[in-house]
Amino acid sequence: MAAPRAEQSRTTRAARSSASSAEARPTAVVKRVPLRQLLRVTSIAGGIQFGWALQLSLLTPYVQELGIPHVWASIIWLCGPLSGLLVQPLVGHMSDRCTSRFGRRRPFIFVGACLICFAVLIIGHSADLGWLLGDRGTTRPRAVVVFVIGFWILDVANNMTQGPCRALLADLTGKDHRRTRVANAYFSLFMAVGNVLGYATGSFSYWYKVFPFTVTPGCNIDCANLKSAFYVDIVFMVITTYLSITGVREIPAGLSERSPLINDEVSEQSGHAEEAFLWELFGTFKYFTSPVWTILVVTALNWVGWFPFLLFDTDWMGREIYGGEPNDGQFYTIGVRMGALALMLNSVILGLTSLFMEKLCRKWGAGFMWGISNIIMALCFLAMLITSYAAKHIGYLGYDLPPSGIVIAALVIFAVLGFPLAITYSVPYALISARIEPLGLGQGLSMGVLNLAIVIPQVIVSLGSGPWDQLFGGGNSPAFAVGALAALTAGLIAILGIPRSRPAKHRALP
C-alpha cells in the first residue's frame, strides 16, 4: 500500500538529510574496473542461459514423455513467473544488505549456481529415480514428482542467480554510464552464446554414445540424451561461475567506502529501490501517467503472445510438423531435436539484432520498433498456423518425415522470430525507465512494475493454454492463435499510443 503524502514528505526529507550527511563524508575514490574483468564477471550469463536453452527446448516434450498429458504440461511452468515475482526481489533485497566477508553478491551467485547444478541432476535422473521407486510402464508418476521438484528448484535457482549478477555489474560500473552499457553488452553477448550452445546441445541426438552409462533400465536413449546434455550444462556452469566469482574482488557491504570496486551511493539506491518494490509497488499505480499504462498494457499483451511459443515451440515441431507423439516412435523426438536447432537459429538472429538495436530505435523510435516487432511476431504465429494446416493436409503425418519445404518454412519462422524477441528483451525496459524516472519513483521500482506486467500474463498462459488447446481438439495451434491476436493488438497500441519523442518532465512526487 502506498504511503500517505505526509509520510512520503518525511521520507523525502530523510533522504535529503542522508544525502547531506553523505556529502560531509570523505568521497571514496572508485577504481575503474578493467574491461577484461567485466568480461569475466559477465561470463556466468552464458552458463545460466545454456541451462535455460535446454529447459525451453527439451523439458516440455520430456515431461509429456514421463506421462503428463499435454493439457497439463504448461502448469509445470508456473514456477518461472512466480519465482520471478517473489525470489528476484527478495534475493536482491537480501544481497543489498549482505555483510559476508566474500562480498554482497558473490555468495548468492555461488549458491544459486550450486542449486542450478543440483536441480539439473535431479531432472536428468528423474526417470532413474522413478524406476528405483517402483515406476514401470508408460506413465511414471514417481518420476514426474521427482521431475517437478527438480524443475521448480531450477527455476528458483535461475532467478536467484540472475538478480545478483545484474546488481554486481551495477556495483562495479557505478556512475560510469559507458562502462555500464559495455557491461550489459557483454552480459547480452554471453546470453546469446549460452543460447546458441544450449540449443545446439539439445539438438544433438548422440550424446548417449558420448556418455554410454546414461542408458539404464529406467532411462531410454531419449532420456539419456537429455541427461547427458545436463552433464554438459553442469560443466559449462562450473567453468563460467568460477570465472565470474573469481574475476573481481568484492568488498563486504560494511566496508564499501574503502572499496575500490563498490560505489556506496549506487548500493544505497539499490537498497531503497528493492525496499520500495517490496512494500510500495501496488500503491504507486495511482501516480502512473497514460504513457506508463500504455507500456504496461503492451508488455502484458506482448507476453501473452510470447509465452505459448516459449512453452510449446519444440512440442509444436514434434507434433504438428513431424506428426509424432511422445513415447510413440521416433518422429516426435526427431521433431523436438529439429526444434532445438531452429531455436539456435533464432538466437543467432537475436544476437545480430541486438548489435543494431540502438541505431534502429534512434532512427525510427523505440515505440515504433516495438510495435513493428509485435506485428512481425503476429505474422510469424499466423505463418505457424498456416504451416500446421498445410502439414495436416499434405497427408504425410504419422507415415513419413515431413517434406523439406515444410521443414524449411518452420526453420525460417523460428529464425525470424529472433528479431522481435531481441526487441522484447531490451526496448520495454528502456521505455518504462524513461517514463517512470520523471515521476521520482526510482529505477528499481520501474523494473518491478514491468516485471508484474510480464509475470502475470505468464501465470495466465500457464494455467490456461493447456485447457484452451484441449478445448479445441488438442495441439498447440489454439494457443498460437491467441498469441497472434495478442501480439497484433500490442503492435497497434505501441505504434499509435507510444510517442517517439521523450515525454515531458513531470513534477516528482512529494
Side-chain angles (χ1 to χ4, degrees), residues 13-147:
R13 289 195 296 271
R16 289 172 179 169
S17 175
S18 175
S20 301
S21 301
E23 292 175 359
R25 296 197 303 261
T27 303
V29 178
V30 179
K31 179 182 177 181
R32 294 187 78 187
V33 179
L35 292 178
R36 65 179 181 275
Q37 285 185 285
L38 290 177
L39 192 65
R40 286 189 61 176
V41 171
T42 56
S43 64
I44 193 173
I48 297 172
Q49 207 64 27
F50 189 103
W52 268 116
L54 292 177
Q55 184 176 352
L56 291 172
S57 60
L58 300 182
L59 293 192
T60 294
Y62 182 64
V63 75
Q64 294 177 77
E65 292 174 4
L66 291 180
I68 292 182
H70 180 271
V71 65
W72 299 115
S74 61
I75 303 296
I76 304 295
W77 289 84
L78 265 177
C79 183
L82 292 179
S83 62
L85 180 63
L86 301 175
V87 174
Q88 278 202 32
L90 179 61
V91 169
H93 184 82
M94 293 172 63
S95 69
D96 282 332
R97 289 153 179 79
C98 179
T99 57
S100 167
R101 63 188 180 92
F102 299 106
R104 297 188 300 170
R105 317 296 183 188
R106 291 191 301 171
F108 291 91
I109 295 173
F110 176 76
V111 172
C114 290
L115 284 176
I116 289 174
C117 295
F118 176 66
V120 299
L121 282 175
I122 293 178
I123 293 172
H125 290 84
S126 57
D128 293 318
L129 294 172
W131 177 273
L132 291 175
L133 294 173
D135 277 344
R136 299 294 187 271
T138 303
T139 302
R140 290 168 277 183
R142 297 168 185 84
V144 169
V145 171
V146 174
F147 174 89

Side-chain angles (χ1 to χ4, degrees), residues 289-296 298 361-371 427 430-432 434-435 438 490-506:
T289 59
S290 295
V292 172
W293 282 112
T294 301
I295 294 169
L296 296 179
V298 174
C361 291
R362 187 168 61 245
K363 181 176 182 179
W364 299 101
F368 180 80
M369 288 304 303
W370 195 16
V427 168
L431 287 173
I432 198 71
R435 281 154 178 79
L492 295 176
I493 294 175
I495 292 174
L496 299 175
I498 300 178
R500 178 175 178 178
S501 59
R502 184 181 177 89
K505 292 286 185 180
H506 297 276

Side-chain angles (χ1 to χ4, degrees), residues 179-490:
R179 293 269 175 184
T180 301
R181 290 194 299 269
V182 170
N184 282 285
Y186 286 165
F187 199 89
S188 298
L189 172 64
F190 277 110
M191 286 181 67
V193 170
N195 267 338
V196 171
L197 294 178
Y199 290 133
T201 300
S203 66
F204 185 61
S205 57
Y206 296 102
W207 284 115
Y208 73 96
K209 293 185 176 180
V210 180
F211 304 99
F213 60 88
T214 56
V215 180
T216 66
C219 186
N220 60 18
I221 290 177
D222 295 332
C223 168
N225 279 324
L226 176 74
K227 189 193 304 182
S228 302
F230 278 130
Y231 287 162
V232 177
D233 177 31
I234 290 173
V235 172
F236 196 55
M237 192 71 201
V238 168
I239 293 173
T240 55
T241 301
Y242 174 80
L243 290 174
S244 181
I245 65 177
T246 61
V248 69
R249 178 171 171 264
E250 191 187 13
I251 303 300
L255 303 176
S256 57
E257 287 187 43
R258 298 192 296 273
S259 169
L261 297 178
I262 303 298
N263 186 315
D264 192 48
E265 183 178 350
V266 172
S267 68
E268 289 179 8
Q269 291 175 351
S270 175
H272 293 320
E274 292 293 347
E275 195 169 12
F277 175 81
L278 287 171
W279 303 112
E280 300 176 9
L281 180 58
F282 291 98
T284 58
F285 286 178
K286 68 178 73 173
Y287 302 114
F288 292 167
T289 59
S290 295
V292 172
W293 282 112
T294 301
I295 294 169
L296 296 179
V297 168
V298 174
T299 299
L301 290 171
N302 191 204
W303 278 98
V304 169
W306 272 124
F307 209 53
F309 175 78
L310 296 177
L311 290 182
F312 299 119
D313 41 24
T314 53
D315 184 72
W316 173 79
M317 190 75 83
R319 287 178 182 272
E320 299 177 40
I321 300 301
Y322 279 77
E325 292 289 338
N327 298 315
D328 184 15
Q330 288 298 307
F331 288 161
Y332 183 79
T333 300
I334 295 172
V336 169
R337 303 293 174 190
M338 185 59 69
L341 178 63
L343 289 173
M344 184 185 72
L345 300 177
N346 174 281
S347 297
V348 172
I349 299 299
L350 186 155
L352 293 175
T353 303
S354 299
L355 297 176
F356 302 98
M357 186 74 64
E358 185 178 356
K359 291 183 180 180
L360 290 172
C361 291
R362 187 168 61 245
K363 181 176 182 179
W364 299 101
F368 180 80
M369 288 304 303
W370 195 16
I372 291 297
S373 73
N374 273 279
I375 293 175
I376 292 174
M377 182 170 69
L379 293 175
C380 286
F381 291 158
L382 178 61
M384 292 177 73
L385 297 176
I386 294 173
T387 305
S388 297
Y389 180 84
K392 185 176 181 180
H393 286 80
I394 287 176
Y396 70 88
L397 294 179
Y399 302 100
D400 198 2
L401 293 174
S404 57
I406 293 290
V407 176
I408 291 173
L411 292 176
V412 169
I413 292 169
F414 275 53
V416 172
L417 280 169
F419 171 75
L421 190 58
I423 302 289
T424 299
Y425 283 165
S426 58
V427 168
Y429 298 92
L431 287 173
I432 198 71
S433 176
R435 281 154 178 79
I436 279 190
E437 180 183 6
L439 300 177
L441 296 176
Q443 293 303 323
L445 184 60
S446 68
M447 294 303 104
V449 168
L450 191 65
N451 190 51
L452 272 182
I454 293 172
V455 299
I456 291 177
Q458 289 181 357
V459 171
I460 295 173
V461 171
S462 294
L463 291 173
S465 60
W468 175 261
D469 289 347
Q470 195 71 15
L471 181 64
F472 287 90
N476 301 299
S477 294
F480 290 158
V482 173
L485 181 61
L488 178 62
T489 305

Side-chain angles (χ1 to χ4, degrees), residues 5-15:
R5 288 186 176 269
E7 183 176 342
Q8 290 183 358
S9 299
R10 290 194 296 272
T11 303
T12 304
R13 289 195 296 271

